[in-house]
Amino acid sequence: MGTLYLVGTPIGNLGDFSPRAAAVLEQCSFIAAEDTRVTRKLLSHFGISKPMVSYHQHNMRERGPQIVARILAGEDCALVTDAGMPAISDPGEDLVRLCAEAGILVLSAPGPTAALTALALSGLPSVRFCFEGFLPVDRQERRSRLSELTAERRTMIFYEAPHKLRATLDDLCAAFGGQRRIALGRELTKLHEEMLRITLQEACERYDTVEPRGEFVLIVEGTSAPSSAPCDPEQAAKLARHLMAEGMSPSAAARQAAAETGLRKGEIYRLLTTRED
């Protein structure tokens, strides 16, 4: 029986590829790659020649069992993505599961990850954090997911593509409020690496006029701990009205006020819709 190796590849700078990772690719029987064209360039740079098969979200159901069968027959497989660690927000997760169920040994030659690189650079709290990856494509599902995170106190990590960035920033602002801090990392470890440390409102305004380019990692500050002293419902409603004045909808404002005060969203929303200051 062979072994499955998870091999981390550079997220931008080829100098970050580890000697051990290169050795695993040289010694394995074959490589399962997200995009064989991208991996071929990496192999060429390091003078490695190895048989490859494609393994990605569109063929994983068929290709996964085929790879497992080859490993069970004695071949060693190295799994790589285009950039970063396999199985992190990646269909490699399913291949690891299949191998574990088949009793196959899974080892790692770890490498860079965009999520933790951006978190370390963000300047936001890193003792406790949660990784959310890519938000749902459907706008309603995305807003529902963010609604679940309004009371999240840990620093949150998201991935986003450039053509979806503006819509996602708008939804983040509506869910968390414009003054929530965010760090936007793009082109990490590459020539035009950038890390912006601003508020959500400032991020929305910036990308209203600046065309997003490159893949983004968004590091979003968690909510503050609720005050130990109970908050008066009218005070919470006043906070929500202030948020509405900044452009938030009544529902989003009530949700944000609830997250900051510990009161129920429904109670705040009722005050917003039935009473005036």
Side-chain angles (χ1 to χ4, degrees):
M1 182 185 298
T3 300
L4 174 68
Y5 292 91
L6 307 182
V7 180
T9 56
I11 59 175
N13 191 319
L14 291 176
D16 294 332
F17 197 50
S18 76
R20 178 166 176 255
V24 169
L25 295 187
E26 288 178 327
Q27 296 165 11
C28 69
S29 305
F30 69 102
I31 298 170
E34 179 181 3
D35 187 328
T36 57
R37 296 166 299 181
V38 173
T39 301
R40 187 169 290 110
K41 294 177 182 178
L42 176 71
L43 297 180
S44 176
H45 181 84
F46 288 96
I48 300 171
S49 178
K50 193 65 58 174
M52 287 190 288
V53 297
S54 64
Y55 178 81
H56 47 71
Q57 61 179 341
H58 302 297
N59 71 359
M60 55 186 282
R61 302 303 176 200
E62 173 187 1
R63 190 57 53 82
Q66 295 173 358
I67 294 173
V68 169
R70 292 181 64 172
I71 299 174
L72 288 172
E75 295 186 79
D76 289 332
C77 174
L79 176 67
V80 299
T81 65
D82 291 349
M85 278 300 297
I88 303 298
S89 195
D90 172 81
E93 173 188 1
D94 195 64
L95 183 58
V96 172
R97 178 186 60 80
L98 290 176
C99 287
E101 291 174 352
I104 292 170
L105 179 64
V106 181
L107 299 176
S108 174
T113 60
L116 294 185
T117 299
L119 176 64
L121 293 170
S122 70
L124 292 173
S126 60
V127 173
R128 299 183 66 213
F129 60 90
C130 61
F131 176 69
E132 290 294 323
F134 288 98
L135 288 166
V137 174
D138 180 81
R139 194 79 179 267
Q140 185 172 353
E141 291 181 13
R142 184 162 70 247
R143 287 174 173 172
S144 177
R145 175 78 63 81
L146 290 173
S147 178
E148 297 172 2
L149 294 171
T150 53
E152 178 59 68
R153 293 174 59 184
R154 295 172 295 180
T155 300
M156 294 166 280
I157 306 175
F158 302 91
Y159 286 161
E160 194 51 276
H163 64 283
K164 298 177 183 175
L165 181 68
R166 287 170 174 153
T168 294
L169 287 175
D170 287 342
D171 287 342
L172 288 171
C173 195
F176 302 143
Q179 297 309 304
R180 186 77 68 91
R181 291 186 295 169
I182 182 175
L184 300 93
R186 56 179 290 273
E187 299 293 282
L188 297 177
T189 76
K190 299 179 183 178
L191 179 62
H192 300 293
E193 177 175 349
E194 182 178 46
M195 176 62 70
L196 293 175
R197 302 172 183 87
I198 52 182
T199 66
L200 277 169
Q201 184 61 47
E202 289 169 338
C204 289
E205 292 171 355
R206 173 183 174 83
Y207 286 104
D208 275 343
T209 57
V210 175
E211 186 68 25
R213 297 184 184 279
E215 299 297 317
F216 283 81
V217 185
L218 310 178
I219 311 296
V220 181
E221 179 182 32
T223 189
S224 302
S227 173
S228 57
C231 181
D232 182 87
E234 285 292 351
Q235 291 177 314
K238 185 175 181 179
L239 171 61
R241 292 189 183 99
H242 177 72
L243 294 171
M244 289 170 60
E246 293 182 345
M248 296 181 69
S249 69
S251 178
R255 183 167 57 243
Q256 178 65 23
E260 295 187 19
T261 63
L263 296 178
R264 295 176 59 185
K265 173 191 170 184
E267 182 178 11
I268 300 171
Y269 185 80
R270 178 179 57 80
L271 290 172
L272 287 179
T273 56
T274 60
R275 300 181 62 178
E276 298 291 337
D277 277 336

